[in-house]
Amino acid sequence: MSSPGGSSPEGFNAIDFDGARVYAIPMRVRFRGIAVREGMLIEGPAGWGEFCPFADYDDAESAPWLATAIEQCTIGWPPSVRDRIPINCIVPAVDPKRAHEITARSGCRTAKVKVADHPESLAEDLARVEAVRDALGPAGAIRVDANGRWDVDTALTHIHRLDKAASGLEYVEQPCRTIDELATVRRQVDVRVAADESIRRAEDPLRVAVAGAADVAVIKCSPLGGVRRSLQVAEAAGLPCVVSSALETSVGLAAQLALAGALPDLDFACGLGTLSLLDGDLVAGSGSLRPVDGYFPVPCRPPAPDPALLDRYEMADPQRASWWRDRLRRVRAEQQRFR
């Protein structure tokens, strides 16, 4: 029997779990509260996969991340319907000058701006959004991401002011934490509402669409269990989709690009330019997935890590490396249930 991620028992048994490599790559800028990105690479009969659930994910939440890695390194991905993917640049919670530089240098026509970094951040957020608009010019698209940190009243006030500062927002991503809050906000603003955490951390990802809580679905295949399962979620949700990364290296990022390539419709630029946030990669040279003029090519197969880079970014803390190996063992057991 196949799993939701599509892997077979034979493929699962062929994975070299004992040889998994633990990595630690510093971030250029603290992002999502993370200063160092950690994870593991596993090798199977079809190549390499990446297992990198965030530290606050429990074993059950981490099981789909392992399913994504297993799909990638055992059977690969479904065919793509497009050759390249438009992406947005990512502007962390930085000062306006830095925000302008990031946007102007990216070559992208869409920018995703992080807001709500702390409770009193509105003035900083407005200045950052204004700087991004200046860098993009009037034709560029700006979206903001609050990571669910606002209550309803704060969301209504801040969205209005940010929309004005941006001279029009494309959408606001996850303004509030709960689905009910998203639905309330959506009824009272003219800006599209996109759901991210409400999809990837929900027991039922389809409830977001059913509740009328969002106009756009942000899909990340790592926490949803692979490209094939994410395509099923996207189809059932019936919303325009944006594919976004989960701060992977090029190995895991390739799966997100495969998902974006396989979606029947792709109406928005995707949030896949996150490799620029890492101060390094595990794939060398032309295999490293970096956009050109705001676009990514769709990979046909998983990229292979460079042995020298695996050594360079190997987790140096033996206790932390042991923590990851113990986690992998536990999640493997959990993933059997997920399959």
Side-chain angles (χ1 to χ4, degrees):
M1 180 182 296
S2 295
S3 73
S7 61
S8 66
E10 293 78 12
F12 184 89
N13 294 333
I15 296 172
D16 182 17
F17 288 108
D18 291 337
R21 302 292 297 268
V22 185
Y23 69 80
I25 301 176
M27 304 287 296
R28 295 181 188 272
V29 178
R30 183 177 287 272
F31 191 84
R32 200 185 177 275
I34 296 171
V36 178
R37 188 64 172 115
E38 300 176 358
M40 305 183 80
L41 296 192
I42 59 175
E43 187 175 14
W48 291 80
E50 184 165 351
F51 173 65
C52 58
F54 297 111
D56 59 329
Y57 279 64
D58 62 24
D59 292 349
E61 287 180 297
S62 299
W65 294 68
L66 184 56
T68 299
I70 290 170
E71 176 191 55
Q72 179 166 331
C73 71
T74 56
I75 61 172
W77 311 301
S80 177
V81 298
R82 57 187 60 84
D83 296 326
R84 64 177 191 164
I85 307 298
I87 66 162
N88 61 249
C89 68
I90 297 179
V91 182
V94 294
D95 63 70
K97 180 180 179 182
R98 180 70 177 134
H100 192 285
E101 292 171 350
I102 291 170
T103 306
R105 190 179 64 244
S106 71
C108 298
R109 301 310 306 151
T110 301
K112 174 177 171 176
V113 184
K114 287 291 184 177
V115 296
D117 186 53
H118 60 86
E120 305 301 324
S121 69
L122 179 58
E124 300 167 14
D125 296 340
L126 293 170
R128 188 178 310 118
V129 166
E130 288 171 353
V132 170
R133 170 55 68 200
D134 185 69
L136 281 177
I142 298 176
R143 52 186 70 159
V144 297
D145 182 7
N147 287 117
R149 291 181 178 141
W150 294 326
D151 58 32
V152 169
D153 289 341
T154 302
L156 295 175
T157 299
H158 288 204
I159 290 170
H160 173 74
R161 294 192 62 182
L162 288 164
D163 186 47
K164 184 176 180 180
S167 298
L169 290 172
E170 183 179 49
Y171 62 72
V172 55
E173 181 174 326
Q174 201 70 41
C176 303
R177 185 177 60 85
T178 71
I179 289 174
D180 290 341
E181 288 173 326
L182 290 184
T184 299
V185 169
R186 180 172 178 255
R187 288 193 296 268
Q188 298 184 57
V189 298
D190 294 328
V191 178
R192 295 184 189 95
V193 172
D196 176 9
E197 287 90 344
S198 293
I199 294 175
R200 62 184 167 89
R201 303 198 75 166
E203 290 187 13
D204 180 5
L206 307 184
R207 189 180 163 222
V208 175
V210 172
D215 303 282
V216 178
V218 179
I219 303 293
K220 299 179 179 180
C221 74
S222 294
L224 287 176
V227 173
R228 289 169 178 81
R229 189 163 185 264
S230 297
L231 289 170
Q232 293 171 357
V233 170
E235 180 181 10
L239 295 172
C241 290
V242 172
V243 180
S244 188
S245 86
L247 288 181
E248 304 98 338
T249 72
S250 284
V251 176
L253 185 60
Q256 310 289 357
L257 283 165
L259 170 59
L263 281 170
D265 299 298
L266 194 65
D267 299 320
F268 296 96
C270 290
L272 299 174
T274 51
L275 195 60
S276 64
L277 300 171
L278 302 181
D279 194 22
D281 192 13
L282 299 177
V283 177
S286 61
S288 183
L289 295 176
R290 300 184 185 276
V292 177
D293 296 328
Y295 288 86
F296 268 120
V298 178
C300 297
R301 60 186 62 85
D306 181 88
L309 292 174
L310 281 172
D311 291 342
R312 179 187 303 175
Y313 295 111
E314 185 172 9
M315 173 66 72
D317 181 345
Q319 290 186 329
R320 191 64 178 172
S322 178
W323 182 88
W324 271 100
R325 295 192 183 284
D326 288 343
R327 188 186 200 190
L328 178 60
R329 282 192 289 270
R330 294 195 313 271
V331 175
R332 281 179 62 188
E334 184 69 35
Q335 203 268 337
Q336 294 292 324
R337 187 170 67 84
F338 180 77
R339 296 169 72 217

